[in-house]
Amino acid sequence: MTTHVEKFVYDFAEGNKDLKDLLGGKGANLAEMTNLGLPVPPGFTITTEACRAYLKGAEPPTLRDEISEHLASLERAMGKRLGDPDDPLLVSVRSGAKFSMPGMMETVLNVGLTDTSVSGLARQSGGNERFAWDSYRRLIQMFGKTVCGVPGEAFDEALEGAKKAKGTHNDLDLGAEDLKALVDTYKKIFTEHTGREFPQDPREQLDLAIRAVFESWNAERAVLYRRQERIPADLGTAVNVVAMVFGNLGPDSGTGVAFTRDPGTGNRGIYGDYLANAQGEDVVAGIRNTVPLQELERLDKKSYDELLAIMAKLEDHYRDLCDIEFTIERGKLWMLQTRVGKRTAAAAFTIASHLVDEGGIDLDEALHRVTGAQLAQLMFPTFAADSGELKPVAKGIAASPGAAVGKVVFDSHRAAEMGNAGERVILVRRETNPDDLPGMIAAQGVLTSRGGKTSHAAVVARGMGKTCVCGAEALDINIQARQFTVNGHTVSEGDIISIDGTTGNVYLGEVPVQPSPVVQYFEGKLSPDQDELVAAVHRIMTHADAKRRLRVRANADTAADAARARRFGAEGIGLCRTEHMFLGDRRELVERLILARTDEEREAALAALLPLQRNDFIEIFRAMDGLPVTVRLIDPPLHEFLPSLEELSVRVALAEARGEDPGKDATLLAAVRRMHEQNPMLGLRGVRLGLVVPGLFAMQVRAIAEAAAAVKAEGGDPRPEIMVPLVGAVQELETVRQEAEQVLREVGVDALIGTMIEVPRAALTSGQIAEAAEFFSFGTNDLTQMGWGFSRDDVEGSFFTRYLELGIFGVSPFESIDTEGVGRLVRISVEEGRATRPDLKIGVCGEHGGDPDSVHFFHSAGLDYVSCSPFRVPVARLEAGRAAVEAVGSDSR
Amino acid sequence: MTTHVEKFVYDFAEGNKDLKDLLGGKGANLAEMTNLGLPVPPGFTITTEACRAYLKGAEPPTLRDEISEHLASLERAMGKRLGDPDDPLLVSVRSGAKFSMPGMMETVLNVGLTDTSVSGLARQSGGNERFAWDSYRRLIQMFGKTVCGVPGEAFDEALEGAKKAKGTHNDLDLGAEDLKALVDTYKKIFTEHTGREFPQDPREQLDLAIRAVFESWNAERAVLYRRQERIPADLGTAVNVVAMVFGNLGPDSGTGVAFTRDPGTGNRGIYGDYLANAQGEDVVAGIRNTVPLQELERLDKKSYDELLAIMAKLEDHYRDLCDIEFTIERGKLWMLQTRVGKRTAAAAFTIASHLVDEGGIDLDEALHRVTGAQLAQLMFPTFAADSGELKPVAKGIAASPGAAVGKVVFDSHRAAEMGNAGERVILVRRETNPDDLPGMIAAQGVLTSRGGKTSHAAVVARGMGKTCVCGAEALDINIQARQFTVNGHTVSEGDIISIDGTTGNVYLGEVPVQPSPVVQYFEGKLSPDQDELVAAVHRIMTHADAKRRLRVRANADTAADAARARRFGAEGIGLCRTEHMFLGDRRELVERLILARTDEEREAALAALLPLQRNDFIEIFRAMDGLPVTVRLIDPPLHEFLPSLEELSVRVALAEARGEDPGKDATLLAAVRRMHEQNPMLGLRGVRLGLVVPGLFAMQVRAIAEAAAAVKAEGGDPRPEIMVPLVGAVQELETVRQEAEQVLREVGVDALIGTMIEVPRAALTSGQIAEAAEFFSFGTNDLTQMGWGFSRDDVEGSFFTRYLELGIFGVSPFESIDTEGVGRLVRISVEEGRATRPDLKIGVCGEHGGDPDSVHFFHSAGLDYVSCSPFRVPVARLEAGRAAVEAVGSDSR
C-alpha cells in the first residue's frame, strides 16, 4: 500500500477480487465478474489511493485526465455519450471501501441527466417521458442532498406536496407533467440552498459526485462506525462509476436479488425475489410485492436460464453461497453486484458440510467458515416459530439468549425448592446478587427489572447459558407481596410466564418451546444420523477437536456442573471457585470466623468448615476423575459474607430509636464498619486474605488434599491443582506455597501449585512469579478491570453505554479481550513466565475463555488451555480448532 | 562472579576493599587495613563462593585443605598453635556478607580452647586463671548456642544460679573456681541438649563454627531481613577467621571505638570512647562506664599517638568519616574493624562540604554523599534539645515529622478561623477527610486517634510538610463536647498541646520549638554566611541545580502554595488539582449540578461555577507568572461531594420513623443511591465524568482559558497546560481534545493539552495515546493502585502492615516507586510515547515525585520533570542532582 501507484483508475477488466485494498469490495467483485465473462455493465473504479490523496488535500494531478480516458472508453463501449442531448449515457457513482460499511457512505444515480438530455432519454426509452423526468427528479434530489448538502426534507416536502395536489399517496400516480413540474420545484430548492443553478455540465456533475463520495469517508456517522468497528481511519474509499441500466423500462424489464442456496437453512436450491418493471430502490421501498425468483422462468425464460448458469458459475468460482443483485433491461440480463452471502447459523453449518460433500472445499475450510457465535446461537432453546404472533407484555434487555417458561418465583430459596422438586420456575428479582445463585441454578430463566447487559444477573446467566431478560423496567416488583404488576396486569407467585432472552420479550402464560437439537446432541440424546444439522455440527466439531492445539476446560464449582461440562467435552476444570462453599447455611460459620476474638474461636470456625469443603471437593474430583481440577482458594473479601453497612446501620439506628437493644446487629455493625472498604475490589481479598487470616488457606488446602486422598482410596484418579488468587508479587506466592506444601506433605498428596495472573503487576513480573508457580491462569476479568481501571459492577450503569455510543470501544472489553492493552499483559506474561520455567502450564479462566475472538487471541498468545462456563465449552472447542487452521484458511472471518 | 574460582580462602594480605562480593564487607576492609600496613590481627577469609557451594550441598573438596594451609600460616605468624596445651592460638569466627546485615548472622569467639589448653591460656596470660576459665565459659556458651542450637536460656540460668549462690549480681565477682565449676555445668548442659560431649578437638570446633556461620545465612531472621531489604537470597556470607586479641588482660589492655569526625555535627576532631581492661562485649553490656577517647593519651600515650596516626591515614585513604573498633592488648594496639561511619543529616552536609574544602573530594562527590532523606530531616522544626526530659501523655504513629505546638481545635472551620486570625492551633480529629483541608492548612499540626501512616491525615500532612501524629489510640475524642480525655487528663478546645511528628509523642502544654534553619534559608530569612550548616546546604544545592537534568515542579492547588513552591525552587506547577474548587461554599452548586433534571438546570449550575474557578486560576497564574501550570480537570466521582450513603440512610430512616418528612435528604438519598458505586476508584471519574456530564470539562477549560486571557491582559505571562485524568484509550483523549480545542479557539488562548498516565492500559498503549497528547504526566499513585490492584485507602488498616512484616515489600510502594512492576509501565510508556512524538514532554505528579529513590528512577527513565508537594521541592532538586552525577560517583548511596 505504500508503494507508489501511478495509476488511479481501473477498468473493471483490469481488476480482480483480491484487489480489495485498492478497489474496495464492490469494485473488486465487479471486476471479478467482468473477467469471468459475466454481463456486468461497463464501468471503472477510482482507487482508494486517489481518495487518500484527495483527503490529504493533494488530489493526483493526473486523475482528471485518467477519468476522461476511462469515460471515453466507457462511452465507446456503450455507444453513448455523457450528456448527449439525443442518447445520453447515464452513470451511477457509488462508494465501495475495503471493509463493508453498510449505509455509511454515498451513492449518486443517473449522473449525466440535464435539461436537454432528459428529452433524449425519453426518446431512447421509447418515448417514456415519465421515466425520463422521474430519473431527472431523482438525480436532482440525490445530488442535492449528497453532493451539496441540501436538507433531504426540503425535497421530501415538495414530493409530498405534489402527491397531495394530485390527491394520491403513490408516486406512480404522478405523470410526466407532474414530474416535470416537480423537477422545476426541485431545481428552485437546489438554488435556494446552494446559491447556484443545478449544474447542466454532465462532467461537472460527475466530478462533484466523485468528490462527494471521497468526502463521505469522513462523514460523522462513518467516522463513528469505523471507531466502533476498529476500521483504520486512513484507508479511504474507492469510487465506482458504472453505466446505468434500467429495470423500469416496461414489462420486459425488472430487477431482483438471488441466493445460490437457502440462506435460512443452507439447503441447496434457487432462492430469490424478482420485481418486474422496477428499480432496486423500488424493491427496498416495497411499493409492490416481489415474486419468487422461479416465476422469472415463465416471464423471461432466456434471462432465467442465463441467470441460473451465472449463479452456478459464481458458486463454483467463490466456492460458497453467493448473494447476487441483477437487473433485466428490455430482456437483457445485467449483473450489478455479487458477494459471499450472509446466512443463519444453521445454514452456515449445513452449507459448509454440503460443500465438503460436493468437493468444493476441504474440512479445514469448512471449519473456517463457521463461527463459535453461530454455534452458541444453535445451543439455545427457542420459542416455536408460530408463537411469533403473540404480543409481549413487556420488553427488557436481551441479556442471555434462549426461551424459558415457568412459574414466577421471587426468592432464591423458593426457586431452589421448587426447581429441585422438578418444577420449572422463572426467578424474578429487582436485581440479583451472589445469594441468588442457588435459585438461578434451579430456574429455567431469570427476569429482573433493573440492570443491563453487564449486571450480575446478565453476566451469571450468560455464564450458565441460562435465559435472562434484565432491566424490564415496566415491571413493578413487590417481593414482600410476592407479585409484580406490569402494564395493568398483576402476576403472582406461581403464575406462568415466558421470557425470550434473544429478543428481551416477556409473555404472560406459556409459549411453546423447542429444545436445541445441538444441545441434545452434546447431551448424547440425539445422534448425528437423526438430524442433518446435527450431522453437520458433529462433522465440524470432530474436525475442530482433531486440529486444535488449545485444550478446553470448564469453570465449574459443583459436581453437577463438572459432569455437564464433561459431556460438553471439557478436558478438566480450569476454575473451581470456593466462595459458594461459604454461602447458605455456612454463612453462620463465616460469621463466627470473622467475629472470632481468640485463636481458639477462629480455629474452631475453620475446623467446622473443613469437612463441608472436603465433601464438596470429593464430589467434584469424582465427576472429573482422571482430569485436572484447578481449585481457586477463596477470593472475595470476607465482609461480603456479612449484611451491608447501609442495611445494618438503619436496623441498628431504628432499634435504638425505638429504645430496643439491637443485640447481635450491633456487634455485626461494628465488624462491618471495621472491615468496610472504600474499594473492596482493591482491598483485603485473595492471597491477602490468606496471608492475614491465619489458617484460612491451610484449611482449604487440607480440604482439597484430604478429598483427593479419599477419592484415591476408593480407586479414583483425582488431579487437584491449587490456585492462589490475586498475587501481585512472587513473595506472596512463596509464602502461601510454603504453607500449602507443608499441608500437602502432612496429608501425603501431590498437587500442582500455581497462581492466577489477574493483577497487572503479576503479568509484568511473571519472570519472577514463575519461580514459585507451576502454572499460570489468566483472570482476564480482573486483569481487564485493573488494566483499564474500571469496575465491572460500576461501569454499566454509568459511562459504559456512553462509551459504546462514542465508539471508544467497538465491543465491551469484558466480552472480547482488549488485545492491545490487556492482551499485551498476557503476551508479556506468557513470554517471561516460560523464559523462567519452560514447562509452565498456562491457561485462562476469565469469561473471555469462551469468547470466540478471545479464543483466537489466546491461541496466538501460546496458551495451553482456555477454561469457560460448561455451556461455552463447545464454542471454545470450535474456535480453538478454527484458530489452529487459521493460517491456511482465507479471511472469511 | 560466575567465573570459576579455584581459591576459596584468602589471607588478609591477599584482599582489598573492592572485593566485597567475594570477601564480604568486614573481610574486605580488614584486608584493606592489612595492606595499608596497619596492625590488624592476622587471619584469613573464607569466601562467599565457598558458602554458596556449601549451601548447595557441595562444599568444595579442597576447602578443608585450604583452611589447613591458611591456619598453619596463621599459627606461624602468631607463633602459637590451635589447641596447644601450653600456648594455644585462639581465633574468632565471624560472618561478613557483602551487604551489612547487622545482628542477623553468627559469631563464635575463643575457638581453640579445650579442657587442656585452658590451662595454657592461663599461664600465657600471666597466671590469670579467672580470665582463662571465663574465656572457656564464653566459648562453650557461644558455641553451644550458635553451632549446636542449645537454648541460650539454659546457660543464662546456670550463670544466674552461680551468681545467686555467690550472693552477687556482677559477673566480675565470680572467681576462677566459680567459673571452673560453671564450665562443668555448661558442659553438662551442652551434653544434655546435643547428646555429645563438648568437642575437645580444636580443629573440629573451628570447622563446626565455620559451617554454622555458613548456615546462619539461611536462618529465618536473616531470610526475612533480606526479603525486606531486597538483598538477593543467593549471595552467601564470607567467614573471617581471626587471631583473638584480648583487651581484658589487665590495666595495660582495653578496647574502644572511635570516629574520625563528630558523627553528630560533622565537626573535625577526635570522637570516641575507651574502656580499660575490657572486651568489646563488655562495652556493649555497659558494665562499667567508658571514658572519652582523649583519656587514652594519659593512660597509654604510645597507643594513643599510634591510633591518631592510623585514623588520619584511614580518613586520607577512605576520604570520609571512618568508624573504628580497636583493642589494646598489653600495650599493643590492634585494629579490629573499620568502615565508613554513619552520621546525622547535619553531619552529612557539613562533612561533605568540609571534605571539599580540604581537597579530599570534589563537589560531585559531595553531592553524592548527602541524601534527600537527610535534607528532608533538616527541614522540620524540632523540639529544643533540653525538652527530652518531658514525659509524653500519649504516643501515636509518627506520621509526618516536625514539632508543633498550639491550641487544640476539633473542627476544620474553627481551625481555619483561629489559624487565619494568627493563632497557632493543633487540629484534633478521630480521622480526617478532604473537608478538613482548610483546617489542616491553617493548623500547625494534626493529631488523630485513628489511622496509620497511610491514612488521609498522614498522607496529606506529609504532602504539606505539616507535623502529624496519627492513630494515638489512647485519646478518647468527643467532638460534640469539644474535648478529649487521655490517661486521666481532660483536654478542652483552646488548651495547648505539643506534638512531635518524628517520635509520635503527644505532650500536654507548650514544649519549646526551634525552626529549621534550612527552611529559613529556603524562605530567604537566613543567608549561608550566617550558619555553617546552611552554608553547606547552599553549596551542595547550588551544585545539584547546576548538574541536574530533571526539572522540578510543584503540586499546588492555591496561589499561596504556588508562591511558596516558587521560593523553594519550583520551576512551574506539575499538578494543580481542581477538586477543591468544588468544596466549601461551592458544594451547593455541585449538588445543583448533580440533581439537575434538565439541560438548563445543569448549565445554570456550571455557569455559576465558571467565574469562581476562573478567579482561582487567575491567582495561580499570577503566582507562577512565566512558568508552566498544569491544571488537571476534575478527577473524583461527583458523589464524593455528597453526604455518605450510610449517613443519609440513617437520617432518612430516623425521620420516617418519627413520622417526619425527610425533605431534601430523601432527594439526596435517591441521588446517592443511584450514583453509589461498589468501587468508586474504578468508577465514574476523571475523563469518564467529562464524557458523561455534558459541559463539565468545557466549563473548566473555559475557566482556565479566560483566566489566562485576563492575566495576559494585565501584562502577565501565563502558561497553562490542560491535563486530562484517567485516560485509558486514545479515543477518550481525542474526544475531550476536540471539545477543549474548540473552547480555546473561542477564547483565543493557546494551551498544551496532555494526559495523566495513571491507568495501566494508558501506559501500555502510550504509542497511540501520544498521538493526541502533547505531554504525559505519570500519576504514579493510581498507577500503583491499579498496577498492584490495591486501594491506598483500604490497605493500611488491613494487610499492608502485615505485608511489610512478612517482607513482601521492603518499603511501601506508595512511598517509593515499585520499579519492577509500576516502573516497568513507566519505562514502556516513555519509550513508546516518544517513539510516536519525539518532543513529548513527560513528567510525574504522583507523590513519588518527591521521594529520593523514585527521583533517581525517573531520571533514569528519561523523564523531563518531577512534580511534588512544595515542601519536597528542595529534596527533589537535590536528588535530581545526585541522579545526574550518579554515574561518576561511588556506590555510597
Side-chain angles (χ1 to χ4, degrees), chain A residues 62-75:
Chain A
T62 57
L63 183 59
R64 202 188 142 77
D65 288 347
E66 268 198 79
I67 292 173
S68 300
E69 251 171 58
H70 286 268
L71 182 60
S73 134
L74 179 59
E75 288 173 334

Side-chain angles (χ1 to χ4, degrees), chain B residues 214-255:
Chain B
F214 281 162
E215 281 166 13
S216 70
W217 176 258
N218 280 333
E220 199 172 327
R221 61 184 174 179
V223 169
L224 201 63
Y225 182 85
R226 285 197 298 270
R227 207 187 279 159
Q228 277 170 353
E229 299 293 317
R230 306 202 186 176
I231 296 175
D234 58 356
L235 294 180
T237 181
V239 182
N240 300 292
V241 177
V242 194
M244 288 290 301
V245 292
F246 296 96
N248 53 349
L249 282 176
D252 57 351
S253 302
T255 193

Side-chain angles (χ1 to χ4, degrees), chain A residues 646 649 673 678-682 688 691 732 761 764 768 787-789 791 794 802-803 818 824 832, chain B residues 646 649 673 678-682 688 691 732 759 761 764 787-789 791 794 802-803 818 824 832:
Chain A
E646 187 188 356
S649 303
R673 275 230 181 93
Q678 293 293 318
N679 296 280
M681 179 179 304
L682 305 180
R688 300 160 192 172
L691 293 173
E732 294 171 311
R761 190 182 191 275
L764 292 163
Q768 293 175 26
W788 278 92
S791 131
D794 295 318
R802 179 90 181 116
Y803 267 39
D818 152 38
R824 181 167 183 189
E832 300 180 7
Chain B
E646 186 189 356
S649 303
R673 277 228 180 93
Q678 292 294 317
N679 295 280
M681 182 180 302
L682 306 179
R688 301 160 191 173
L691 293 174
E732 295 171 311
V759 169
R761 189 181 192 275
L764 293 162
W788 279 90
S791 129
D794 295 317
R802 179 90 181 115
Y803 267 39
D818 152 38
R824 182 168 181 189
E832 300 181 8

Side-chain angles (χ1 to χ4, degrees), chain B residues 23 76 160 216 239 247 322 356 538 586 615 644 649 695 748 864:
Chain B
L23 305 179
R76 277 194 301 278
E160 284 309 304
S216 70
V239 182
C322 291
V356 174
H538 171 73
R586 303 173 186 183
N615 285 345
S644 82
S649 303
D864 296 309

Side-chain angles (χ1 to χ4, degrees), chain A residues 243-281:
Chain A
M244 289 291 302
V245 291
F246 296 96
N248 54 348
L249 284 177
D252 57 349
S253 302
T255 192
V257 296
F259 298 91
T260 56
R261 297 171 191 244
D262 184 344
T265 64
N267 290 338
R268 297 177 189 86
I270 303 297
Y271 296 83
D273 299 297
Y274 181 70
L275 189 57
N277 196 9
Q279 275 196 298
E281 36 180 354

